[in-house]
Amino acid sequence: MNNMTEIRWHGRGGQGAKTACLLLADAAFTAGKFVQGFPEYGPERMGAPITAYNRISEERCNIHSNIYNPDYVVVVDETLLHGVDVTAGLNPAGAIVVNTPKAPEEIRPLLRGYAGRVCTVDARSISEKTLGRYFPNTPMLAAIVKVSGVLDEAQFVADMQASFEHKFATKPQVVAGNMAALTMTMKEVREG
């Protein structure tokens, strides 16, 4: 399928990579796209490396496997760069998005020769400013939407506002914090 975007998420159990993957699937579905969003399960536990996947397409997708040649990779925990081959199969025409305070050129040497776009965002700083605690999933969700262009940004923000208002109806401060995290991230993604 030529119009399908495949995204692979790398994180650690408890960081919200699976949640962000599923939120992206929900947002894409709301935007009228065909979607898949699923984690790869094994003996995961809090802090163990996990992988999750998204397929987003304009037409029905009949592929039902993990994603081995993603267009984009999201790395929720920078420490994974030292032990997991996060760029395995990554399309050089795509990009990798890493949660780090470092600039893209500082991350590139850790990417095993990957020649495509490298993007970074400091999800820790953003989430601590907007949510008061470290929740990297919301900033990383916004970062992949910004970098990939898989969804219209304005529509994505509006859809996420509605989703958060529904999920956190009794906690308006959580809605405001998550929306601030989304919009701040879209302005602070760095590309190299």
Side-chain angles (χ1 to χ4, degrees), residues 9-164:
W9 297 76
H10 293 277
R12 292 192 182 277
Q15 291 180 324
K18 174 187 155 194
T19 301
C21 169
L22 297 177
L23 284 171
L24 179 58
D26 285 346
F29 180 77
T30 300
K33 306 218 183 244
F34 290 93
V35 299
Q36 293 179 3
F38 55 97
E40 179 178 3
Y41 284 110
E44 280 80 15
R45 61 197 179 284
M46 187 71 77
I50 66 106
T51 309
Y53 306 93
N54 285 112
R55 284 191 178 94
I56 301 171
S57 178
E58 297 295 330
E59 54 194 65
R60 185 174 303 282
C61 174
N62 293 320
I63 301 169
H64 299 287
S65 68
N66 291 346
I67 295 172
Y68 301 102
N69 299 104
D71 300 296
Y72 299 93
V73 165
V74 181
V75 181
V76 181
D77 188 317
E78 177 186 0
T79 65
L80 292 170
L81 298 177
H82 303 287
V84 176
D85 185 3
V86 297
T87 59
L90 178 56
N91 184 342
I96 186 168
V97 184
V98 181
N99 171 15
T100 180
K102 297 175 184 165
E105 54 272 11
E106 294 176 87
I107 294 298
R108 188 173 294 281
L110 303 174
L111 300 180
R112 303 178 189 210
Y114 176 67
R117 291 187 301 153
V118 177
C119 303
T120 61
V121 66
D122 188 353
R124 176 179 293 279
S125 174
I126 291 169
S127 68
E128 287 175 351
K129 284 178 193 168
T130 59
L131 298 165
R133 290 182 50 203
Y134 182 45
F135 295 110
N137 56 342
T138 299
M140 296 311 290
L141 170 63
I144 192 58
V145 168
K146 176 74 174 178
V147 169
S148 69
V150 71
L151 298 173
D152 175 78
E153 287 180 32
Q155 187 63 50
F156 166 72
V157 170
D159 290 345
M160 291 309 299
Q161 173 91 31
S163 175
F164 288 147

